[in-house]
Amino acid sequence: MLIVKKFGGTSVGDKQRMYNVANRCIEEYKKGNDVVVVLSAMGKYTDELIRMAHDMDDKPPKREMDMLLTIGEQMSVSLMAMVMHKLGVPAVSLNAFQVTMHTTSSHQNARLKRIDTERIRRELDARRIVIVTGFQGVDKYDDYTTLGRGGSDTTAVALAAALHADACEIYTDVDGVYTADPRKVPNARKLKEITYDEMLDLATSGAGVLHNRSVEMAKKYGVPLVVRSSLNNSEGTVVKEVVSVERMLISGVALDTDAVRIAVLGLRDVPGVAFKVFDTLAKKNINVDVILQSIGRAGTKDISFTVNKDDLDDAVATLEESQERLGFKELHSERNIAKLSIVGSGMLSNPGVAAKMFESLYNEGVNINMISTSEIRITVLINEKDGIRAMNAVHDAFGLAD
Amino acid sequence: MLIVKKFGGTSVGDKQRMYNVANRCIEEYKKGNDVVVVLSAMGKYTDELIRMAHDMDDKPPKREMDMLLTIGEQMSVSLMAMVMHKLGVPAVSLNAFQVTMHTTSSHQNARLKRIDTERIRRELDARRIVIVTGFQGVDKYDDYTTLGRGGSDTTAVALAAALHADACEIYTDVDGVYTADPRKVPNARKLKEITYDEMLDLATSGAGVLHNRSVEMAKKYGVPLVVRSSLNNSEGTVVKEVVSVERMLISGVALDTDAVRIAVLGLRDVPGVAFKVFDTLAKKNINVDVILQSIGRAGTKDISFTVNKDDLDDAVATLEESQERLGFKELHSERNIAKLSIVGSGMLSNPGVAAKMFESLYNEGVNINMISTSEIRITVLINEKDGIRAMNAVHDAFGLAD
């Protein structure tokens, strides 16, 4: 069997944890399996690098940020190879150039295009554990890129797909996917199984266990995913196409407090206006989420949408630069909001799910600002201060408690 | 003009110094020159990485050490590109993969074989300052290598040769080459000019300003070198083929306290024995310096030689492993020694230089253990405790004082 194991920054945060990870990988290796390990930067090292960069330059070029950030994973993988060497097992660390991980040129938010598997295969054939840098890639100009948030998950899934791995295990500091974040909803319950689509909607709703790109890719290539804890041996949650257990109406509740709302007011009411706004943002690689379009005063249009708070400055600057071309009157932004989502395949065959959610929020006295739905997800925008209370109310209303 | 400027770790040790270096480079750039900057890792970061590695594994594999150490220079160059961006000048950082810097596969002690100049030329043509990682390379297996001590100097000289640069400036924390280390000989004098050969003999004698490999390469390709201070604008020392100023009998005195002596006693007195001993060490990439062979007891041979103290453990282990094959009786090592050298082209035409050196040591009551000479250098092995006193005595005897 060929197993890809991915460990996040917390799992390799210090020497003791590095040894724990190494021992888990060696256990697998000693069963006769081929083991590919994907690592993130240690602990909070990426944050430290970002801080160093901002100390030098308040607006560092993205190309140079990627050049700097990639050293975090190179540190983890080389140290991990040393730990395995110390434990008597042959291992080799590889960075994005050595693999090679080909990506687009979109710095800080690149997409994997193709992974060369030759070097990894050769190392596996020599019975070495192969330790690969997550999060990073190389573009066609031979420049380093990074995959953005949760990029190491994507690296792991993409490697599993490229190598036709028998399993892709994502190790994290939680022991699986829960009906809600247990830090916010104390009686949340761990799920044994979840579908790719549910996981995807949870990920885009801020549930945080897996990055949505990695789930998209797992679904596309049918990579069997397991989310497990790096701290204990509990079974974790399996993510796959169809789940076999009897289903609840919904699988989980997610709260995202990283979203901010931008309102573009007084747009001309002509065709293509919305397209121009979102195209302008897309060209800067700014992801837009919940969108609401409404009629403004005097025959104009208003458009509101959410973006991640990290993109707020960029989004506002981009829109202001294009104010004349887009033809809007005012631009507002609101930071104190939260996105609350419920996700579940059960919705497809059960009407009344939305009504039930809104009722529980009404009973709790929580005001809803905007609503957005997909086939298996309902998202509402609420005030940030109501977030955790609203989340618990909805979790209880759907009987998800442990 | 195309200028290569190399700055060591001290010169880029903190934010203020990074900005100083950036400003010096930008000054050159604004004259209309093409500027290539070679950087070492910041401050003591390489030492910190080595410490991290040894914390994980007391004998880390050299291949993985190189993978770890290369991140030090990648950090410097990306941060420097950000500083230049902040100062409004276009710059791009490049690592060994991006350049590409081709080396041998001898990890931790690789030699540059070939440098691709295409990417650098393209960036220079776009009027960018190009910031290149010193010290590192890539071997034919696509693995990172490092060039060993003083490797960044070698990178700079090699780049200057490959790019046919008009000058290669080595910036350091001293403002040139002195007749002796001013920290040890207070009345030492700065030299305006020195020949490649003298510089080479000083470098191999522990004078420390430039690494011998970089000087060898500069001589081979006729690269005009300047050693300057990164802290002030003083003129520095020019290193070239022939110097024009009137020459002193000797140019400098160097003391090397990093040497240790190994004695291999009771070797069989048959042809090829010395070859076997040194070939065994060479295969482990251990550089041997001052060598003395003498007649031992009962028709055997004794061989003594010095190695750098970092190589002592390796050298002893290697010899012990081969004891049977080499056929020696005992192995001794002595740490408390120092190598004192005088260097100068003036020796070629002036007999009596050695006698003068030995006389000054005799007057100072310093005992000489071993003697080794080249055309323009005389080295003696003395007790470490006599080092600085002996150095000053010789410096005075040859009238080198300021």
Side-chain angles (χ1 to χ4, degrees), chain A residues 14-15 18-19 42 45 49 52-61 63-72 74-79 81-83 85-86 91-95 97-98 100 119 122-123 133 141-144, chain B residues 14-15 18-19 42 45 49 52-61 63-72 74-79 81-83 85-86 91-95 97-98 100 119 122-123 133 141-144:
Chain A
D14 58 33
K15 184 180 176 182
M18 293 280 275
Y19 269 83
M42 292 169 74
Y45 192 59
L49 290 172
M52 285 174 68
H54 286 130
D55 184 42
M56 294 293 170
D57 181 8
D58 47 353
K59 280 263 181 193
R63 190 258 176 208
E64 299 299 334
M65 273 306 279
D66 283 349
M67 187 78 173
L68 181 68
L69 293 185
T70 50
I71 74 177
Q74 195 169 319
M75 180 188 282
S76 317
V77 297
S78 51
L79 289 175
M82 293 176 196
V83 170
H85 170 261
K86 178 71 183 170
V92 62
S93 67
L94 298 176
N95 69 12
F97 271 99
Q98 292 166 329
T100 309
R119 173 78 190 257
R122 207 174 340 121
E123 301 289 354
T133 50
Y141 306 108
D142 268 356
D143 284 336
Y144 265 122
Chain B
D14 58 33
K15 184 179 176 182
M18 292 280 276
Y19 269 82
M42 294 169 73
Y45 192 59
L49 291 172
M52 286 174 68
H54 286 129
D55 184 41
M56 294 293 170
D57 181 8
D58 47 354
K59 280 263 181 193
R63 191 259 175 206
E64 298 300 334
M65 273 307 278
D66 282 349
M67 187 80 174
L68 181 68
L69 293 185
T70 52
I71 75 178
Q74 195 169 319
M75 179 187 282
S76 317
V77 296
S78 52
L79 289 174
M82 293 177 195
V83 170
H85 170 260
K86 178 72 184 170
V92 62
S93 67
L94 298 176
N95 68 12
F97 271 99
Q98 292 166 329
T100 311
R119 174 77 190 257
R122 209 178 333 125
E123 301 289 353
T133 49
Y141 306 108
D142 269 356
D143 284 336
Y144 266 122

Side-chain angles (χ1 to χ4, degrees), chain A residues 206-313:
Chain A
V209 180
L210 286 181
H211 192 261
N212 55 349
R213 277 199 202 162
S214 61
V215 183
E216 263 171 27
M217 195 176 284
K219 177 178 154 78
K220 183 169 171 190
Y221 295 101
V223 174
L225 272 184
V226 187
V227 179
R228 303 184 62 174
S229 166
S230 61
L231 307 171
N232 61 46
N233 275 310
S234 80
E235 273 195 12
T237 302
V238 178
V239 189
K240 51 188 194 175
E241 191 58 45
V242 180
V243 302
S244 50
V245 291
E246 202 187 336
R247 299 311 312 267
M248 310 290 293
L249 199 53
I250 69 169
S251 298
V253 182
L255 183 71
D256 178 4
T257 54
D258 281 342
V260 292
R261 186 175 52 169
I262 296 177
V264 187
L265 304 181
L267 284 155
R268 277 190 301 277
D269 188 12
V270 293
V273 158
F275 164 73
K276 278 188 200 162
V277 168
F278 295 116
D279 185 52
T280 304
L281 294 168
K283 280 183 176 143
K284 296 275 180 166
N285 272 303
I286 296 165
N287 279 319
V288 167
D289 198 16
V290 188
I291 299 174
L292 189 81
Q293 180 175 318
S294 55
I295 308 294
R297 282 165 300 181
T300 61
K301 272 182 185 168
D302 296 343
I303 293 181
S304 294
F305 54 88
T306 59
V307 297
N308 188 284
K309 63 182 174 193
D310 290 345
D311 288 332
L312 178 61
D313 291 348

Side-chain angles (χ1 to χ4, degrees), chain A residues 166-228:
Chain A
D166 298 283
C168 180
E169 302 175 349
I170 309 286
Y171 289 81
T172 167
D173 49 354
V174 297
D175 59 357
V177 181
Y178 278 74
T179 53
D181 184 338
R183 287 167 301 187
K184 293 171 185 157
V185 179
N187 58 11
R189 198 165 41 79
K190 188 168 78 179
L191 298 164
K192 278 178 88 78
E193 294 181 337
I194 189 169
T195 67
Y196 291 124
D197 287 333
E198 289 173 328
M199 194 68 222
L200 203 53
D201 264 328
L202 278 179
T204 51
S205 306
V209 180
L210 286 181
H211 192 261
N212 55 349
R213 277 199 202 162
S214 61
V215 183
E216 263 171 27
M217 195 176 284
K219 177 178 154 78
K220 183 169 171 190
Y221 295 101
V223 174
L225 272 184
V226 187
V227 179
R228 303 184 62 174

Side-chain angles (χ1 to χ4, degrees), chain B residues 84-114:
Chain B
M84 293 190 180
H85 170 260
K86 178 72 184 170
L87 293 169
V89 171
V92 62
S93 67
L94 298 176
N95 68 12
F97 271 99
Q98 292 166 329
V99 168
T100 311
M101 298 270 185
H102 302 273
T103 71
T104 61
S105 287
S106 177
H107 288 290
Q108 301 259 277
N109 198 28
R111 283 178 181 268
L112 279 164
K113 285 163 60 182
R114 185 166 50 82

